[in-house]
Amino acid sequence: MASNQNQRARSATGNVLRVGGRKVRSAAIYARISSDVSGEKLGVARQLEDCRKLAEERGWHVGDEYVDNDISAYSGKPRPEYLRMLADLESGARDAVIVYNLDRLHRIPSELEDFISLCDRVGMHEVATVTADIDLGNDDGLFMARIFAAFAAKESGRKSARGKRKARQSAEAGLPHGPNRPFGYEDDKVTIRDSEAEIIRQLVNRLIAGESMRSLTTWLNSTDTPTVLGAARWRTTTVKSVICSARIAGLRTHNGEIVGPGIWEPIITVEQREQVLARFAERARSGRRAPRTYLLSGLLRCGRCDTPLMSSTKHKSPDKKVRRYICFNGPDRGGCGRLTVVAEPVEDLLRDSAFIRLDSDELRQAWEGRVKANPDLAQLNQEIEEDTRALTELAELYAARPRRITAAEWMAARDPIEARIRDARRAIAHVADSTGLSDLIGKGEILREQWPDLLIDRRQAIIKATLRYATIAPGTPGARSLDINRVQPLWRE
Ligand SMILES: [Zn+2]
């Protein structure tokens, strides 16, 4: 049974032993599920699917499939299909076995030993499994197989893999999921709760019409509608999570990706959802917030809790005011409320540092490296526009009643387009992130002279071109001047 001429071929989906490169003429696929409660029959379908894929990848012809369902290997009951497969192996009608996991074949050591001696007798060593590295053609493989059979130690791990698989199947079948009742639906997560659905439609329409999240949240709170978790007050983030969810457009997600239609009725259309997402994307781009009168607005973070600092003016007396950056803990801000820094010295420090950084070799080299790797921006933009149009057309075909394409067709067409858009956006972001920078590099000293004459927008653009953000560490209470160690900048590269 020693096997120094054995070749082991590996792949992403499985492992297999080829003895002396012998060609497999007719493989057997074996699948089994130990109990068929709660529709685990699907599990067999999945096992077979993966085994067939492995056979195809190996270029093995599949002679037959052998499926035992709902029979536990522990029970000692006969497994008719397993026995039929053994007979076919014995007769030479099959010369290889593909199985999802070795535990589908045997669970008790004596069964494995019988199988091994049969394999030895007929010279069949090709056992391919989708999940594990088993090699019955040499001593190491046999040892591993025996360990597999002797211990059910890996059982819990396999159970969890089966659980994940089941979760995916349930997602693909469009079944509802999640621990909580979704807003807009009853406890069965399928039946629409009219009162809440009406609220969702209003929120969506008003958002698309341009109303702010703050205003919508205030309105929702005025209706005295509790959240699904029973909270009396809504926050903008909770409202956003409801109206951005794919579910209210009748779509099922799995691990954050839309996998197809759900079995529940949609509250809004797919197009409306696209419009909602577009609104949020727009706002993120334009950064609609309080007007930026402070140089470092949005660029400082609290060293205690990492929350962005807000600008604030403290009036010490009618004609003396102090500008500050503060960690707020008000509603919707979520800061710790325990950090304050006087604005001017931080602004001066980071401004001067930015000038120095603009004139540094380090920044110039990083920039030149990126320009070399720079894809054609205009080209990328055009591709994104075309792909976005294609996505809209697809969504329309899918959303039409009756549907003009199936969910599977829609997904098959959509996925590569979305991947392309993502890649293009990433490439653009990588460059656009610093496009302002190309005009500024090497001009630190000039900008320092011009600074007093520059408008706040221009000043902010200069700082933002060089600085990602700076974290402000807690200071010593009562300290009169800024301790420069409190300012920890993260520069762009
Ligand atoms: Zn804080």
Side-chain angles (χ1 to χ4, degrees), residues 104-280:
R104 300 294 91 192
L105 270 185
H106 323 101
R107 280 227 176 137
I108 48 176
S110 68
E111 267 189 341
L112 173 68
E113 293 308 321
D114 290 347
F115 183 75
I116 289 171
S117 37
L118 181 144
C119 291
D120 205 20
R121 212 158 54 237
V122 301
M124 198 291 291
H125 297 193
E126 273 99 335
V127 175
T129 78
V130 177
T131 57
D133 190 5
I134 292 300
D135 178 341
L136 290 187
N138 68 32
D139 293 341
D140 284 350
L142 282 171
F143 177 67
M144 271 194 57
R146 286 178 173 128
I147 290 196
F148 256 100
F151 297 99
K154 287 201 169 180
E155 181 58 14
S156 62
R158 289 192 295 265
K159 277 216 172 100
S160 114
R162 285 205 287 266
K164 277 183 194 156
R165 182 142 291 184
K166 271 185 76 176
R168 199 174 81 202
Q169 285 165 350
S170 120
E172 282 166 0
L175 301 176
H177 68 315
N180 303 316
R181 176 178 78 82
F183 189 78
Y185 293 87
E186 300 293 346
D187 287 329
D188 63 6
K189 300 174 185 167
V190 172
T191 312
I192 289 180
R193 182 175 288 194
D194 289 330
S195 56
E196 293 182 352
E198 192 42 48
I199 286 173
I200 290 176
R201 287 191 202 101
Q202 268 216 49
L203 288 170
V204 165
N205 286 332
R206 288 164 63 166
L207 181 95
I208 293 171
E211 197 165 332
S212 74
M213 281 304 287
R214 181 177 291 263
S215 158
L216 290 174
T217 308
T218 306
W219 167 75
L220 181 51
N221 279 327
S222 77
T223 66
D224 285 330
T225 309
T227 71
V228 288
L229 296 177
R233 309 287 301 165
W234 289 77
R235 294 164 56 113
T236 50
T237 46
T238 331
V239 178
K240 185 177 176 185
S241 72
V242 168
I243 61 180
C244 285
S245 79
R247 137 177 278 284
I248 61 168
L251 303 173
R252 173 62 147 93
T253 55
H254 183 56
N255 296 334
E257 301 274 336
I258 293 171
V259 292
I263 59 167
W264 56 89
E265 280 300 305
I267 293 172
I268 64 169
T269 66
V270 173
E271 291 97 320
Q272 280 176 310
R273 175 163 189 274
E274 294 295 327
Q275 285 174 298
V276 167
L277 296 183
R279 276 272 167 219
F280 281 110

Side-chain angles (χ1 to χ4, degrees), residues 302 305 327 336:
C302 173
C305 69
C327 179
C336 67

